[in-house]
Every structure is written in C-alpha cells, then in structure tokens.
Amino acid sequence: MKVGRVWNACRLYGLWGLVGRCVLKVLSAVGIRLKVTYLYRKRLVQVVDEDCSGDRELFLPDFEKQVSVNPERFTPEKMQRVRQSFGVEGNHAYGIYDGEVLAAYAWTATRWLITEEHRLRDDTGFLWDDYTHPAYRGRGLHGKLVRIRERELVKAGKTVALVTVAFYNRASKVAFERAGYVVRSKLYAYSIGSGPLRSKVRKVNTDD
C-alpha cells in the first residue's frame, strides 16, 4: 500500500515536487506556514460540448454515498469541507462515474472565490478541488472535467476562468497548460508561529 502511495505521489508531483512538499512539512514543524501557488487564467470563447459518459452535476448525497466506497478520500474532515462548499452560493461540483464509483470530480465557483470572502468578477469563474481516484489516473478524466466545467461556466455567462495550482503539483500544471491556461501570478502566503497570515503576489504574465 505504501509503495503504491509513493508511486502515485511521484506521478503527480515529480522528484522536485516531492522535495518541495517535504520542505513545506519541515517548515510547518518549526512553526512556519508557507503556501506557494500559481494563478492560471484562460479566456473562454465558446461552449465546449464534451461527450463524457457518466458525467453529471453532483450534490451532497452523491458525496455522502462515496464515504463507504472511498473512505480514504471522504474522511469526516473532507465531508465537513464538502458541506461547507455546498453552503456557498454559486459553488457547483461535477463528477464522472464508473458504476457506483466516483472516478473523478471537481468544483466551480461562479460568485465567490470558494468562500464568501472574495467576490469574483461578474465575467469570471473559478475552478478548484480537482480529484481523480488513484485507480483512474492517467485516463484523461482531469482534462475532461476541465472542459465540462468550462462548458458550464460559458452557459453561466462567464468569459474568463481562473485556477490556482500548488507549485509542487506538476501533473495539474501540465494538464492546465495543455488546456490553454496561462500563468498570470505567483502567490505566496506565509505566517510565523501564531502571527498573522501575510501574502505577496508576483506578476508572471500580464498578457491576456
């Protein structure tokens, strides 16, 4: 089991990504919280009719059924976050099934940036919390969910999609870049001990 987890981590993050995750854990152990993410942007120009068997919008009961199917993913803590996400106006989840198994799912936000703290522009949607069951990785489900969500955002009148990706997540960076997303900024958030969370933004690309 541990060998399988290490292999999956290598596929997702690569060697330098794993090193980066280890560095973050070491810093956290000494009281330094650091989060580094890339902000990607894409202009949506048309509805993408994605033919994907088994895809549909998800609701809370769909996630609750997965607790017994995939307990390692859908822990009590994860389910609490799922319930909170459904409580925010404009959040929607979409998934792809294989029988009773939720093989992959992901979220969109159309009004708020995940929580009700930062309001999105009227023309902008946000993609987040992409997940593929380990048994289904490497089958292109992540890319299909990106196109499915772009389709739904266009239907909702959005012309721009944003997504943030952790600096160590090689697989997600490659997938979004292949889908036409361009890095706009590098975001840093950090705190020391019990001090306040501070943030810094470094522009990477200012072109549309």
Side-chain angles (χ1 to χ4, degrees):
M1 181 66 71
K2 290 184 178 179
V3 173
R5 289 179 180 177
V6 171
W7 172 244
N8 281 325
C10 288
R11 291 175 59 192
L12 286 173
Y13 308 128
L15 175 60
W16 290 113
L18 289 176
V19 171
R21 285 171 60 86
C22 290
V23 169
L24 293 182
K25 289 181 179 180
V26 170
L27 291 175
S28 178
V30 297
I32 301 174
R33 291 186 299 159
L34 174 65
K35 185 175 182 181
V36 183
T37 56
Y38 289 97
L39 175 67
Y40 283 83
R41 181 180 186 272
K42 180 180 179 180
R43 184 166 293 280
L44 305 175
V45 295
Q46 62 182 4
V47 174
V48 180
D49 291 323
E50 176 62 32
D51 182 14
C52 184
S53 177
D55 79 290
R56 70 176 194 225
E57 183 170 1
L58 303 177
F59 300 93
L60 182 56
D62 297 307
F63 285 94
E64 291 174 335
K65 291 178 182 177
Q66 295 300 307
V67 172
S68 60
V69 178
N70 187 1
E72 288 190 7
R73 173 64 178 180
F74 297 101
T75 62
E77 293 78 13
K78 180 63 179 179
M79 289 305 302
Q80 181 179 1
R81 292 194 293 272
V82 168
R83 294 185 182 93
Q84 291 172 343
S85 297
F86 274 116
V88 177
E89 182 183 4
N91 284 357
H92 300 274
Y94 302 91
I96 300 173
Y97 278 87
D98 180 20
E100 296 297 317
V101 178
L102 183 57
Y105 73 86
W107 290 77
T108 63
T110 59
R111 293 183 64 82
W112 302 93
L113 195 60
I114 306 178
T115 63
E116 294 178 335
E117 295 180 5
H118 303 287
R119 180 69 181 265
L120 290 165
R121 287 174 39 172
D122 290 341
D123 65 345
T124 301
F126 184 68
L127 311 184
W128 57 288
D129 197 22
D130 301 55
Y131 171 77
T132 302
H133 190 292
Y136 296 89
R137 288 172 183 163
R139 303 187 187 185
L141 299 186
H142 178 275
K144 290 180 180 180
L145 277 172
V146 171
R147 295 190 293 274
I148 289 167
R149 288 178 292 166
E150 290 178 350
R151 177 192 68 194
E152 297 303 319
L153 287 179
V154 171
K155 288 180 180 179
K158 307 300 182 180
T159 59
V160 173
L162 299 177
V163 63
T164 56
V165 179
F167 78 97
Y168 53 76
N169 196 333
R170 181 186 65 179
S172 286
K173 288 192 289 186
V174 170
F176 280 111
E177 287 167 7
R178 286 177 177 171
Y181 287 76
V182 177
V183 176
R184 299 302 301 271
S185 306
K186 194 171 185 179
L187 314 175
Y188 302 85
Y190 59 93
S191 67
I192 300 176
S194 59
L197 186 66
R198 303 179 184 277
S199 61
K200 181 179 179 181
V201 178
R202 181 170 69 85
K203 291 289 185 182
V204 176
N205 187 344
T206 58
D207 298 332
D208 286 334

Short mmCIF file of all heavy atoms in Angstrom, two decimals, residues 12 37-44 105-109 125-132 140-151 153 160-184:
data_model
loop_
_atom_site.label_atom_id
_atom_site.label_comp_id
_atom_site.label_asym_id
_atom_site.label_seq_id
_atom_site.Cartn_x
_atom_site.Cartn_y
_atom_site.Cartn_z
N LEU A 12 2.28 12.33 -9.67
CA LEU A 12 1.62 13.63 -9.54
C LEU A 12 2.60 14.79 -9.44
O LEU A 12 2.42 15.83 -10.08
CB LEU A 12 0.71 13.63 -8.32
CG LEU A 12 -0.60 12.85 -8.41
CD1 LEU A 12 -1.27 12.82 -7.06
CD2 LEU A 12 -1.53 13.45 -9.45
N THR A 37 1.47 29.15 -4.67
CA THR A 37 0.61 28.67 -5.74
C THR A 37 0.76 29.56 -6.97
O THR A 37 1.17 30.72 -6.88
CB THR A 37 -0.87 28.67 -5.32
OG1 THR A 37 -1.24 30.00 -4.88
CG2 THR A 37 -1.13 27.69 -4.20
N TYR A 38 0.42 28.97 -8.11
CA TYR A 38 0.38 29.72 -9.36
C TYR A 38 -1.08 30.01 -9.71
O TYR A 38 -1.94 29.14 -9.57
CB TYR A 38 1.01 28.91 -10.49
CG TYR A 38 2.51 28.77 -10.39
CD1 TYR A 38 3.08 27.63 -9.83
CD2 TYR A 38 3.35 29.77 -10.87
CE1 TYR A 38 4.46 27.50 -9.73
CE2 TYR A 38 4.73 29.65 -10.77
CZ TYR A 38 5.28 28.51 -10.21
OH TYR A 38 6.63 28.39 -10.12
N LEU A 39 -1.33 31.24 -10.16
CA LEU A 39 -2.66 31.60 -10.64
C LEU A 39 -2.66 31.52 -12.16
O LEU A 39 -1.90 32.21 -12.84
CB LEU A 39 -3.03 33.02 -10.19
CG LEU A 39 -4.36 33.56 -10.74
CD1 LEU A 39 -5.53 32.76 -10.16
CD2 LEU A 39 -4.51 35.04 -10.43
N TYR A 40 -3.53 30.65 -12.68
CA TYR A 40 -3.67 30.48 -14.12
C TYR A 40 -4.97 31.14 -14.60
O TYR A 40 -5.96 31.20 -13.86
CB TYR A 40 -3.73 29.00 -14.50
CG TYR A 40 -2.41 28.27 -14.49
CD1 TYR A 40 -1.88 27.78 -13.29
CD2 TYR A 40 -1.70 28.06 -15.65
CE1 TYR A 40 -0.66 27.10 -13.27
CE2 TYR A 40 -0.48 27.37 -15.65
CZ TYR A 40 0.02 26.90 -14.46
OH TYR A 40 1.21 26.22 -14.45
N ARG A 41 -4.96 31.59 -15.86
CA ARG A 41 -6.12 32.26 -16.43
C ARG A 41 -6.34 31.78 -17.87
O ARG A 41 -5.39 31.51 -18.59
CB ARG A 41 -5.90 33.78 -16.43
CG ARG A 41 -7.06 34.61 -16.97
CD ARG A 41 -6.68 36.09 -16.90
NE ARG A 41 -7.77 36.97 -17.26
CZ ARG A 41 -8.03 37.37 -18.50
NH1 ARG A 41 -7.27 36.95 -19.52
NH2 ARG A 41 -9.03 38.20 -18.74
N LYS A 42 -7.59 31.69 -18.25
CA LYS A 42 -7.94 31.35 -19.63
C LYS A 42 -9.18 32.12 -20.03
O LYS A 42 -10.14 32.21 -19.27
CB LYS A 42 -8.20 29.85 -19.78
CG LYS A 42 -8.57 29.42 -21.20
CD LYS A 42 -8.81 27.93 -21.29
CE LYS A 42 -9.21 27.51 -22.70
NZ LYS A 42 -9.44 26.04 -22.80
N ARG A 43 -9.17 32.65 -21.24
CA ARG A 43 -10.36 33.31 -21.78
C ARG A 43 -11.23 32.27 -22.46
O ARG A 43 -10.77 31.54 -23.34
CB ARG A 43 -9.98 34.42 -22.75
CG ARG A 43 -11.18 35.20 -23.27
CD ARG A 43 -10.77 36.48 -23.95
NE ARG A 43 -10.18 37.44 -23.02
CZ ARG A 43 -10.90 38.22 -22.22
NH1 ARG A 43 -12.23 38.15 -22.22
NH2 ARG A 43 -10.29 39.07 -21.42
N LEU A 44 -12.48 32.21 -22.05
CA LEU A 44 -13.42 31.24 -22.61
C LEU A 44 -14.13 31.87 -23.81
O LEU A 44 -14.76 32.92 -23.67
CB LEU A 44 -14.45 30.83 -21.54
CG LEU A 44 -13.85 30.28 -20.24
CD1 LEU A 44 -14.96 30.02 -19.22
CD2 LEU A 44 -13.04 29.03 -20.49
N TYR A 105 -13.89 14.07 -9.71
CA TYR A 105 -14.81 15.19 -9.51
C TYR A 105 -14.02 16.48 -9.40
O TYR A 105 -12.80 16.48 -9.18
CB TYR A 105 -15.68 14.99 -8.27
CG TYR A 105 -14.96 15.18 -6.96
CD1 TYR A 105 -14.83 16.45 -6.39
CD2 TYR A 105 -14.39 14.10 -6.29
CE1 TYR A 105 -14.15 16.63 -5.19
CE2 TYR A 105 -13.72 14.28 -5.09
CZ TYR A 105 -13.60 15.54 -4.54
OH TYR A 105 -12.93 15.72 -3.37
N ALA A 106 -14.72 17.59 -9.54
CA ALA A 106 -14.08 18.91 -9.42
C ALA A 106 -15.18 19.95 -9.25
O ALA A 106 -16.34 19.71 -9.55
CB ALA A 106 -13.23 19.21 -10.65
N TRP A 107 -14.77 21.13 -8.78
CA TRP A 107 -15.72 22.20 -8.44
C TRP A 107 -15.53 23.42 -9.33
O TRP A 107 -14.45 23.66 -9.86
CB TRP A 107 -15.51 22.63 -7.00
CG TRP A 107 -15.93 21.64 -5.96
CD1 TRP A 107 -15.25 20.52 -5.58
CD2 TRP A 107 -17.11 21.69 -5.15
NE1 TRP A 107 -15.93 19.86 -4.58
CE2 TRP A 107 -17.07 20.56 -4.30
CE3 TRP A 107 -18.18 22.57 -5.06
CZ2 TRP A 107 -18.07 20.29 -3.37
CZ3 TRP A 107 -19.18 22.30 -4.14
CH2 TRP A 107 -19.12 21.18 -3.30
N THR A 108 -16.60 24.20 -9.41
CA THR A 108 -16.53 25.55 -9.96
C THR A 108 -17.15 26.52 -8.96
O THR A 108 -18.01 26.15 -8.17
CB THR A 108 -17.30 25.71 -11.29
OG1 THR A 108 -18.70 25.48 -11.06
CG2 THR A 108 -16.79 24.75 -12.34
N ALA A 109 -16.66 27.75 -8.99
CA ALA A 109 -17.25 28.84 -8.21
C ALA A 109 -17.62 29.94 -9.19
O ALA A 109 -16.82 30.29 -10.07
CB ALA A 109 -16.27 29.36 -7.17
N GLY A 125 -15.18 32.89 -13.63
CA GLY A 125 -15.44 31.70 -12.84
C GLY A 125 -14.13 31.12 -12.34
O GLY A 125 -13.06 31.42 -12.87
N PHE A 126 -14.21 30.29 -11.32
CA PHE A 126 -13.02 29.73 -10.69
C PHE A 126 -13.13 28.22 -10.64
O PHE A 126 -14.18 27.68 -10.25
CB PHE A 126 -12.87 30.30 -9.28
CG PHE A 126 -11.62 29.87 -8.56
CD1 PHE A 126 -10.37 30.30 -9.00
CD2 PHE A 126 -11.69 29.05 -7.45
CE1 PHE A 126 -9.21 29.90 -8.34
CE2 PHE A 126 -10.54 28.65 -6.78
CZ PHE A 126 -9.29 29.08 -7.23
N LEU A 127 -12.08 27.51 -11.06
CA LEU A 127 -12.03 26.05 -11.00
C LEU A 127 -11.20 25.62 -9.79
O LEU A 127 -10.13 26.18 -9.56
CB LEU A 127 -11.40 25.48 -12.27
CG LEU A 127 -11.91 25.98 -13.63
CD1 LEU A 127 -11.22 25.21 -14.76
CD2 LEU A 127 -13.41 25.86 -13.74
N TRP A 128 -11.66 24.60 -9.06
CA TRP A 128 -10.92 24.21 -7.87
C TRP A 128 -11.25 22.78 -7.42
O TRP A 128 -12.22 22.19 -7.88
CB TRP A 128 -11.17 25.19 -6.72
CG TRP A 128 -12.59 25.38 -6.32
CD1 TRP A 128 -13.55 26.04 -7.02
CD2 TRP A 128 -13.24 24.91 -5.13
NE1 TRP A 128 -14.75 26.03 -6.35
CE2 TRP A 128 -14.58 25.34 -5.18
CE3 TRP A 128 -12.81 24.19 -4.02
CZ2 TRP A 128 -15.50 25.05 -4.18
CZ3 TRP A 128 -13.73 23.92 -3.02
CH2 TRP A 128 -15.04 24.35 -3.10
N ASP A 129 -10.40 22.27 -6.52
CA ASP A 129 -10.55 20.96 -5.88
C ASP A 129 -10.72 19.83 -6.90
O ASP A 129 -11.65 19.03 -6.82
CB ASP A 129 -11.72 20.96 -4.89
CG ASP A 129 -11.63 19.78 -3.92
OD1 ASP A 129 -10.52 19.24 -3.74
OD2 ASP A 129 -12.68 19.39 -3.36
N ASP A 130 -9.79 19.73 -7.85
CA ASP A 130 -9.81 18.64 -8.82
C ASP A 130 -9.30 17.36 -8.15
O ASP A 130 -8.26 17.38 -7.50
CB ASP A 130 -8.91 18.97 -10.01
CG ASP A 130 -9.34 20.25 -10.72
OD1 ASP A 130 -9.46 21.30 -10.06
OD2 ASP A 130 -9.57 20.20 -11.93
N TYR A 131 -10.01 16.27 -8.35
CA TYR A 131 -9.60 15.00 -7.76
C TYR A 131 -9.93 13.84 -8.70
O TYR A 131 -11.02 13.79 -9.27
CB TYR A 131 -10.31 14.75 -6.43
CG TYR A 131 -10.10 13.35 -5.88
CD1 TYR A 131 -8.90 13.00 -5.27
CD2 TYR A 131 -11.09 12.38 -6.01
CE1 TYR A 131 -8.69 11.71 -4.78
CE2 TYR A 131 -10.89 11.09 -5.53
CZ TYR A 131 -9.70 10.76 -4.92
OH TYR A 131 -9.50 9.49 -4.45
N THR A 132 -8.97 12.93 -8.85
CA THR A 132 -9.19 11.69 -9.59
C THR A 132 -8.81 10.52 -8.70
O THR A 132 -7.74 10.51 -8.10
CB THR A 132 -8.35 11.64 -10.88
OG1 THR A 132 -8.67 12.77 -11.70
CG2 THR A 132 -8.64 10.37 -11.67
N GLY A 140 -7.18 10.55 -18.58
CA GLY A 140 -7.68 11.79 -19.16
C GLY A 140 -8.92 12.37 -18.50
O GLY A 140 -9.53 13.29 -19.06
N LEU A 141 -9.29 11.88 -17.33
CA LEU A 141 -10.51 12.37 -16.68
C LEU A 141 -10.36 13.81 -16.20
O LEU A 141 -11.32 14.58 -16.21
CB LEU A 141 -10.89 11.46 -15.51
CG LEU A 141 -11.20 10.01 -15.86
CD1 LEU A 141 -11.70 9.26 -14.64
CD2 LEU A 141 -12.22 9.92 -16.99
N HIS A 142 -9.15 14.18 -15.76
CA HIS A 142 -8.93 15.56 -15.31
C HIS A 142 -9.20 16.54 -16.45
O HIS A 142 -9.91 17.54 -16.28
CB HIS A 142 -7.50 15.72 -14.82
CG HIS A 142 -7.16 17.11 -14.37
ND1 HIS A 142 -6.75 18.10 -15.24
CD2 HIS A 142 -7.19 17.68 -13.15
CE1 HIS A 142 -6.53 19.21 -14.58
NE2 HIS A 142 -6.78 18.99 -13.30
N GLY A 143 -8.67 16.25 -17.63
CA GLY A 143 -8.90 17.12 -18.77
C GLY A 143 -10.36 17.21 -19.16
O GLY A 143 -10.86 18.27 -19.53
N LYS A 144 -11.07 16.08 -19.06
CA LYS A 144 -12.50 16.08 -19.38
C LYS A 144 -13.28 16.96 -18.41
O LYS A 144 -14.18 17.70 -18.80
CB LYS A 144 -13.04 14.66 -19.37
CG LYS A 144 -12.54 13.81 -20.54
CD LYS A 144 -13.09 12.40 -20.49
CE LYS A 144 -12.58 11.58 -21.66
NZ LYS A 144 -13.11 10.20 -21.65
N LEU A 145 -12.90 16.88 -17.12
CA LEU A 145 -13.59 17.71 -16.13
C LEU A 145 -13.30 19.19 -16.33
O LEU A 145 -14.15 20.04 -16.06
CB LEU A 145 -13.21 17.28 -14.72
CG LEU A 145 -13.98 16.09 -14.17
CD1 LEU A 145 -13.38 15.62 -12.86
CD2 LEU A 145 -15.45 16.42 -13.99
N VAL A 146 -12.10 19.52 -16.80
CA VAL A 146 -11.81 20.91 -17.12
C VAL A 146 -12.75 21.40 -18.21
O VAL A 146 -13.36 22.47 -18.11
CB VAL A 146 -10.34 21.08 -17.57
CG1 VAL A 146 -10.10 22.50 -18.10
CG2 VAL A 146 -9.39 20.81 -16.40
N ARG A 147 -12.91 20.61 -19.28
CA ARG A 147 -13.77 21.02 -20.39
C ARG A 147 -15.24 21.05 -20.00
O ARG A 147 -15.99 21.94 -20.42
CB ARG A 147 -13.54 20.08 -21.58
CG ARG A 147 -12.13 20.17 -22.16
CD ARG A 147 -12.01 19.42 -23.46
NE ARG A 147 -12.13 17.98 -23.30
CZ ARG A 147 -11.13 17.17 -22.99
NH1 ARG A 147 -9.92 17.67 -22.76
NH2 ARG A 147 -11.31 15.87 -22.89
N ILE A 148 -15.65 20.10 -19.16
CA ILE A 148 -17.03 20.09 -18.67
C ILE A 148 -17.33 21.37 -17.89
O ILE A 148 -18.36 22.02 -18.08
CB ILE A 148 -17.28 18.85 -17.79
CG1 ILE A 148 -17.31 17.58 -18.65
CG2 ILE A 148 -18.60 18.99 -17.01
CD1 ILE A 148 -17.24 16.31 -17.85
N ARG A 149 -16.40 21.76 -17.04
CA ARG A 149 -16.63 22.96 -16.22
C ARG A 149 -16.56 24.22 -17.06
O ARG A 149 -17.31 25.18 -16.81
CB ARG A 149 -15.63 22.99 -15.07
CG ARG A 149 -15.93 21.94 -14.00
CD ARG A 149 -14.91 21.95 -12.90
NE ARG A 149 -13.61 21.51 -13.37
CZ ARG A 149 -12.48 21.66 -12.70
NH1 ARG A 149 -12.49 22.28 -11.52
NH2 ARG A 149 -11.33 21.21 -13.17
N GLU A 150 -15.68 24.25 -18.04
CA GLU A 150 -15.66 25.39 -18.95
C GLU A 150 -16.98 25.52 -19.67
O GLU A 150 -17.51 26.64 -19.83
CB GLU A 150 -14.52 25.24 -19.96
CG GLU A 150 -13.14 25.40 -19.36
CD GLU A 150 -12.03 25.18 -20.37
OE1 GLU A 150 -12.33 24.72 -21.50
OE2 GLU A 150 -10.87 25.46 -20.03
N ARG A 151 -17.53 24.42 -20.10
CA ARG A 151 -18.84 24.42 -20.75
C ARG A 151 -19.91 25.02 -19.84
O ARG A 151 -20.71 25.86 -20.27
CB ARG A 151 -19.22 22.97 -21.12
CG ARG A 151 -20.61 22.80 -21.73
CD ARG A 151 -20.98 21.32 -21.77
NE ARG A 151 -21.18 20.78 -20.42
CZ ARG A 151 -21.24 19.48 -20.14
NH1 ARG A 151 -21.06 18.58 -21.09
NH2 ARG A 151 -21.45 19.08 -18.90
N LEU A 153 -19.43 27.02 -17.24
CA LEU A 153 -19.15 28.43 -16.98
C LEU A 153 -19.63 29.31 -18.13
O LEU A 153 -20.19 30.39 -17.90
CB LEU A 153 -17.65 28.65 -16.75
CG LEU A 153 -17.09 28.14 -15.42
CD1 LEU A 153 -15.58 28.40 -15.36
CD2 LEU A 153 -17.78 28.80 -14.23
N VAL A 160 -14.16 34.24 -18.57
CA VAL A 160 -12.81 34.02 -18.06
C VAL A 160 -12.87 32.93 -16.98
O VAL A 160 -13.78 32.91 -16.16
CB VAL A 160 -12.21 35.31 -17.45
CG1 VAL A 160 -10.88 35.03 -16.78
CG2 VAL A 160 -12.05 36.37 -18.52
N ALA A 161 -11.87 32.04 -17.01
CA ALA A 161 -11.74 31.02 -15.97
C ALA A 161 -10.39 31.18 -15.28
O ALA A 161 -9.37 31.40 -15.94
CB ALA A 161 -11.85 29.62 -16.57
N LEU A 162 -10.39 31.08 -13.96
CA LEU A 162 -9.18 31.14 -13.15
C LEU A 162 -9.00 29.81 -12.41
O LEU A 162 -9.98 29.13 -12.09
CB LEU A 162 -9.25 32.27 -12.13
CG LEU A 162 -9.41 33.70 -12.62
CD1 LEU A 162 -9.54 34.64 -11.43
CD2 LEU A 162 -8.25 34.09 -13.52
N VAL A 163 -7.75 29.48 -12.12
CA VAL A 163 -7.47 28.30 -11.32
C VAL A 163 -6.13 28.52 -10.62
O VAL A 163 -5.24 29.17 -11.17
CB VAL A 163 -7.42 27.02 -12.17
CG1 VAL A 163 -6.31 27.07 -13.20
CG2 VAL A 163 -7.27 25.77 -11.30
N THR A 164 -6.00 28.04 -9.40
CA THR A 164 -4.72 28.08 -8.70
C THR A 164 -4.19 26.66 -8.58
O THR A 164 -4.95 25.71 -8.35
CB THR A 164 -4.84 28.72 -7.30
OG1 THR A 164 -5.82 28.00 -6.54
CG2 THR A 164 -5.22 30.18 -7.40
N VAL A 165 -2.87 26.52 -8.72
CA VAL A 165 -2.22 25.21 -8.65
C VAL A 165 -1.00 25.34 -7.73
O VAL A 165 -0.20 26.26 -7.87
CB VAL A 165 -1.77 24.73 -10.05
CG1 VAL A 165 -1.08 23.37 -9.94
CG2 VAL A 165 -2.95 24.65 -11.00
N ALA A 166 -0.88 24.41 -6.79
CA ALA A 166 0.27 24.40 -5.90
C ALA A 166 1.56 24.25 -6.71
O ALA A 166 1.60 23.52 -7.70
CB ALA A 166 0.15 23.26 -4.89
N PHE A 167 2.60 24.92 -6.27
CA PHE A 167 3.86 24.94 -7.04
C PHE A 167 4.44 23.55 -7.25
O PHE A 167 5.15 23.30 -8.22
CB PHE A 167 4.89 25.83 -6.34
CG PHE A 167 5.56 25.18 -5.16
CD1 PHE A 167 6.80 24.57 -5.31
CD2 PHE A 167 4.98 25.17 -3.91
CE1 PHE A 167 7.44 23.97 -4.24
CE2 PHE A 167 5.60 24.57 -2.83
CZ PHE A 167 6.85 23.97 -2.99
N TYR A 168 4.14 22.61 -6.35
CA TYR A 168 4.72 21.27 -6.44
C TYR A 168 3.87 20.30 -7.27
O TYR A 168 4.29 19.17 -7.53
CB TYR A 168 4.92 20.68 -5.04
CG TYR A 168 3.68 20.70 -4.18
CD1 TYR A 168 2.65 19.78 -4.38
CD2 TYR A 168 3.53 21.64 -3.16
CE1 TYR A 168 1.51 19.79 -3.59
CE2 TYR A 168 2.40 21.66 -2.37
CZ TYR A 168 1.40 20.74 -2.58
OH TYR A 168 0.27 20.76 -1.82
N ASN A 169 2.67 20.72 -7.68
CA ASN A 169 1.75 19.80 -8.37
C ASN A 169 2.02 19.80 -9.88
O ASN A 169 1.34 20.46 -10.66
CB ASN A 169 0.30 20.18 -8.07
CG ASN A 169 -0.66 19.06 -8.42
OD1 ASN A 169 -0.39 18.24 -9.29
ND2 ASN A 169 -1.78 19.03 -7.73
N ARG A 170 3.01 19.04 -10.27
CA ARG A 170 3.44 19.00 -11.67
C ARG A 170 2.33 18.54 -12.60
O ARG A 170 2.12 19.13 -13.66
CB ARG A 170 4.64 18.07 -11.82
CG ARG A 170 5.17 17.97 -13.24
CD ARG A 170 6.26 16.92 -13.36
NE ARG A 170 5.74 15.58 -13.10
CZ ARG A 170 6.48 14.47 -13.16
NH1 ARG A 170 7.76 14.56 -13.46
NH2 ARG A 170 5.94 13.29 -12.93
N ALA A 171 1.60 17.50 -12.20
CA ALA A 171 0.57 16.94 -13.07
C ALA A 171 -0.52 17.96 -13.39
O ALA A 171 -0.95 18.10 -14.54
CB ALA A 171 -0.04 15.70 -12.43
N SER A 172 -0.97 18.71 -12.38
CA SER A 172 -2.01 19.71 -12.61
C SER A 172 -1.51 20.86 -13.46
O SER A 172 -2.23 21.36 -14.35
CB SER A 172 -2.54 20.24 -11.28
OG SER A 172 -3.36 19.29 -10.64
N LYS A 173 -0.27 21.29 -13.22
CA LYS A 173 0.28 22.38 -14.04
C LYS A 173 0.33 21.99 -15.51
O LYS A 173 -0.08 22.76 -16.38
CB LYS A 173 1.67 22.76 -13.53
CG LYS A 173 1.66 23.51 -12.21
CD LYS A 173 3.01 24.11 -11.89
CE LYS A 173 4.04 23.08 -11.53
NZ LYS A 173 5.32 23.67 -11.08
N VAL A 174 0.80 20.78 -15.78
CA VAL A 174 0.88 20.32 -17.16
C VAL A 174 -0.51 20.22 -17.79
O VAL A 174 -0.72 20.65 -18.92
CB VAL A 174 1.59 18.95 -17.22
CG1 VAL A 174 1.47 18.33 -18.62
CG2 VAL A 174 3.06 19.09 -16.85
N ALA A 175 -1.47 19.68 -17.04
CA ALA A 175 -2.81 19.50 -17.57
C ALA A 175 -3.48 20.83 -17.91
O ALA A 175 -4.09 20.97 -18.98
CB ALA A 175 -3.66 18.72 -16.57
N PHE A 176 -3.36 21.81 -17.01
CA PHE A 176 -4.00 23.10 -17.28
C PHE A 176 -3.29 23.85 -18.40
O PHE A 176 -3.95 24.53 -19.21
CB PHE A 176 -4.06 23.94 -16.01
CG PHE A 176 -5.18 23.56 -15.10
CD1 PHE A 176 -4.94 22.95 -13.88
CD2 PHE A 176 -6.51 23.80 -15.47
CE1 PHE A 176 -5.98 22.58 -13.05
CE2 PHE A 176 -7.56 23.43 -14.64
CZ PHE A 176 -7.30 22.82 -13.43
N GLU A 177 -1.99 23.73 -18.49
CA GLU A 177 -1.27 24.39 -19.58
C GLU A 177 -1.65 23.78 -20.93
O GLU A 177 -1.81 24.49 -21.92
CB GLU A 177 0.23 24.31 -19.33
CG GLU A 177 0.69 25.23 -18.20
CD GLU A 177 2.10 24.95 -17.72
OE1 GLU A 177 2.79 24.11 -18.36
OE2 GLU A 177 2.52 25.55 -16.71
N ARG A 178 -1.83 22.49 -20.97
CA ARG A 178 -2.28 21.83 -22.20
C ARG A 178 -3.67 22.28 -22.59
O ARG A 178 -4.02 22.30 -23.78
CB ARG A 178 -2.25 20.31 -22.02
CG ARG A 178 -0.86 19.70 -22.04
CD ARG A 178 -0.93 18.21 -21.79
NE ARG A 178 0.38 17.58 -21.88
CZ ARG A 178 0.63 16.32 -21.54
NH1 ARG A 178 -0.36 15.55 -21.09
NH2 ARG A 178 1.85 15.84 -21.66
N ALA A 179 -4.48 22.62 -21.59
CA ALA A 179 -5.85 23.06 -21.85
C ALA A 179 -5.93 24.54 -22.21
O ALA A 179 -7.02 25.07 -22.41
CB ALA A 179 -6.73 22.79 -20.62
N GLY A 180 -4.78 25.21 -22.29
CA GLY A 180 -4.77 26.60 -22.72
C GLY A 180 -4.69 27.63 -21.62
O GLY A 180 -4.82 28.83 -21.88
N TYR A 181 -4.44 27.20 -20.39
CA TYR A 181 -4.33 28.14 -19.27
C TYR A 181 -2.92 28.71 -19.21
O TYR A 181 -1.95 28.00 -19.46
CB TYR A 181 -4.69 27.46 -17.95
CG TYR A 181 -6.18 27.21 -17.82
CD1 TYR A 181 -6.78 26.17 -18.52
CD2 TYR A 181 -6.98 28.03 -17.05
CE1 TYR A 181 -8.15 25.94 -18.44
CE2 TYR A 181 -8.34 27.82 -16.95
CZ TYR A 181 -8.92 26.77 -17.65
OH TYR A 181 -10.28 26.57 -17.58
N VAL A 182 -2.84 29.99 -18.87
CA VAL A 182 -1.56 30.70 -18.84
C VAL A 182 -1.33 31.24 -17.43
O VAL A 182 -2.24 31.80 -16.80
CB VAL A 182 -1.55 31.87 -19.84
CG1 VAL A 182 -0.25 32.65 -19.76
CG2 VAL A 182 -1.77 31.35 -21.26
N VAL A 183 -0.12 31.07 -16.92
CA VAL A 183 0.22 31.59 -15.59
C VAL A 183 0.17 33.11 -15.60
O VAL A 183 0.79 33.75 -16.45
CB VAL A 183 1.62 31.12 -15.15
CG1 VAL A 183 1.99 31.76 -13.81
CG2 VAL A 183 1.67 29.61 -15.02
N ARG A 184 -0.54 33.69 -14.65
CA ARG A 184 -0.59 35.14 -14.52
C ARG A 184 0.21 35.65 -13.34
O ARG A 184 0.83 36.71 -13.40
CB ARG A 184 -2.06 35.61 -14.39
CG ARG A 184 -2.93 35.26 -15.57
CD ARG A 184 -2.38 35.86 -16.86
NE ARG A 184 -2.29 37.30 -16.79
CZ ARG A 184 -3.28 38.12 -17.13
NH1 ARG A 184 -4.42 37.65 -17.55
NH2 ARG A 184 -3.12 39.42 -17.04
#
